[in-house]
Amino acid sequence: MQIIMASLTSQLRQCTIFAALFILLVVSTTSQVGASSDLQDVAMAERHEKWMARHGRVYKDSDEKERRFHIFKANVKFVEASNNVKGRSYKLSANQFADLTNEEFVATHTGYKRDSSELRRSTTPFRYENVTDLPSSMDWRQKGAVTPIKNQGDCGSCWAFSAVAATEGITQIKTGKLISLSEQELVDCDTGKYAQGCDGGLMKEAFEFIKTQGLASNANYTYKAEDSICKTNAESHPAAKIKGYETVPPNEKALLKAVANQPISVGIDADGSAFQFYSGGVFKTSDCGTDLGHGVTAVGYGSTSDGTKYWIVKNSWGTSWGEKGYIRMERDVGSAEGTCGIVKDASYPIA
Ligand SMILES: *[C@@H]1O[C@H](CO)[C@@H](O)[C@H](O)[C@H]1NC(C)=O
Ligand SMILES: *[C@@H]1O[C@H](CO)[C@@H](O)[C@H](O)[C@H]1NC(C)=O
């Protein structure tokens, strides 16, 4: 091109010839771009079909399919661009949420009540404040205190899953028995101000309920991913009880002391697309906000061979999200709120 430009300026006589050549060049290049983007669309459409088959997705009509295809394509591009960033400590994948916009995803798969409330800000004594000699790593899964990954489905019941996982943990630590407990009972029967079933809630509100009524096992009160009528069976009830709950002071040192002793319910900001498509590695504090919108459970901590410290967090989006349903989130980040706000609303049941 530079040679052409040079001759364009030096040999004005041939100007029109070169101009014609130039136009030809532009036209042919553009049509090639058009053809290759058509090819890309064909490849992307095939990819969408395969993805639909793998995830059993069926759309109601071709308009819906077209709409979902465009969302899928944008998400695949987002995932690939992120995975191409050199040195990024985590990977994304076009997982089962790849045909949902981030707004749709957040609206249906989180459920932490955002309205700030007295309950959210309340504090209590912190029994682990004087704990010293913390192990350098902890994994409550290896200690048998964590049930298999669950799936909240299209229901804003994260708060129930977060509180239940912490309750399952302390119950196993105290009794030696790991019993899967009922999120659905909280969804149906917890009538606290900040417990609104699939419309969201707070973990502390769930602990209040479990403190007064106990909680059924999952086996006796199974999960439906929708609001339904409360039907606690007195005979089988409860499978677990707690004496109450406490809050963790909002800093990473306190959270470490707490997680060293039991699984802890935490609120996080899981709103971004990076979180939606996370598939493994250590998720960085720079890639999320701190506006709490999701409830999960911190079930351990550790550090990678290169020294990056992380929290091990149990999510409730099934096993095909993240590291078999878990996420490792950067720890000791030096900010007051921790990665994705993880220290802002941490609490745990007492058995
Ligand atoms: C921690 O230590 C301080 C000072 O000795 C004491 O006042 C406080 O009660 C202790 N906290 C707990 C939870 O044991
Ligand atoms: C379920 O309830 C029955 C009584 O209705 C009880 O015998 C059984 O132990 C309960 N199962 C679990 C797993 O809690």
Side-chain angles (χ1 to χ4, degrees), residues 126-127 129-130:
F126 177 49
R127 66 185 47 214
E129 67 177 324
N130 297 329

Side-chain angles (χ1 to χ4, degrees), residues 217 219-220 233 235-236 239:
S217 68
N220 274 346
N233 170 358
E235 247 177 87
S236 62

Side-chain angles (χ1 to χ4, degrees), residues 11 18-19 31 46 109 112 116 127 131 164 182 184 192 312:
Q11 299 177 304
F18 278 113
S31 70
E46 270 171 24
H109 289 78
Y112 177 95
S116 78
R127 66 185 47 214
V131 165
V164 163
S182 177
Q184 191 66 41
I312 304 167

Side-chain angles (χ1 to χ4, degrees), residues 246-274:
E246 290 179 354
T247 58
V248 181
N251 64 75
E252 287 207 89
K253 277 208 177 85
L255 186 57
L256 191 71
K257 291 175 184 176
V259 178
N261 282 282
Q262 64 182 91
I264 304 293
S265 289
V266 290
I268 56 169
D269 183 334
D271 283 3
S273 296

Side-chain angles (χ1 to χ4, degrees), residues 270-306:
D271 283 3
S273 296
F275 214 94
Q276 179 176 350
F277 299 117
Y278 166 82
S279 74
V282 179
F283 196 79
K284 290 285 176 158
T285 186
S286 49
D287 297 336
C288 53
T290 58
D291 178 20
L292 307 187
H294 189 43
V296 290
T297 316
V299 298
Y301 58 83
S303 45
T304 63
S305 51
D306 72 3

